[in-house]
Amino acid sequence: MKADIHPNYRDVVFYDTSSEFKFLTKSTIETNETIVWEDGNEYPVYKIEVSSQSHPFYTGKKMMLDTAGRVEKFNRRYAQKK
């Protein structure tokens, strides 16, 4: 096997910014931010916009997520010129 070709597989906290939900799992994702977890250890954190706690399919609630202004961008791009 070749040395130094595999990514760093480590514990990472994924943080759902829309529902304030956090979960700890293993991942190879690279991030510079860290957070102190419930066990007192410091882990890298990766911020996400949608998780099972905020996605309408899993929650059964209709939630409008327009975090990047997608609707306004679409309307500006395809608006009828008068």
Side-chain angles (χ1 to χ4, degrees):
M1 248 167 78
K2 292 183 180 179
D4 301 326
I5 63 167
H6 299 289
N8 184 18
Y9 189 63
R10 61 192 176 152
D11 290 323
V12 176
V13 175
F14 283 84
Y15 173 50
D16 182 353
T17 57
S18 62
S19 67
E20 302 294 319
F21 178 68
K22 300 173 189 149
F23 58 96
L24 179 66
T25 188
K26 295 224 179 236
S27 178
T28 60
I29 197 159
E30 292 296 327
T31 180
N32 295 327
E33 297 180 54
T34 60
I35 192 170
V36 176
W37 188 244
E38 300 161 353
D39 61 4
N41 293 327
E42 190 170 338
Y43 296 103
V45 64
Y46 186 75
K47 294 179 181 174
I48 55 177
E49 295 179 359
V50 178
S51 71
S52 61
Q53 294 294 315
S54 62
H55 193 281
F57 180 80
Y58 298 107
T59 61
K61 299 176 185 175
K62 290 190 175 186
M63 180 187 286
M64 182 66 177
L65 293 177
D66 188 22
T67 58
R70 294 181 186 113
V71 174
E72 289 82 9
K73 185 177 178 182
F74 176 84
N75 287 336
R76 278 194 310 258
R77 183 178 290 170
Y78 297 104
Q80 297 269 336
K81 305 268 188 207
K82 292 181 182 180

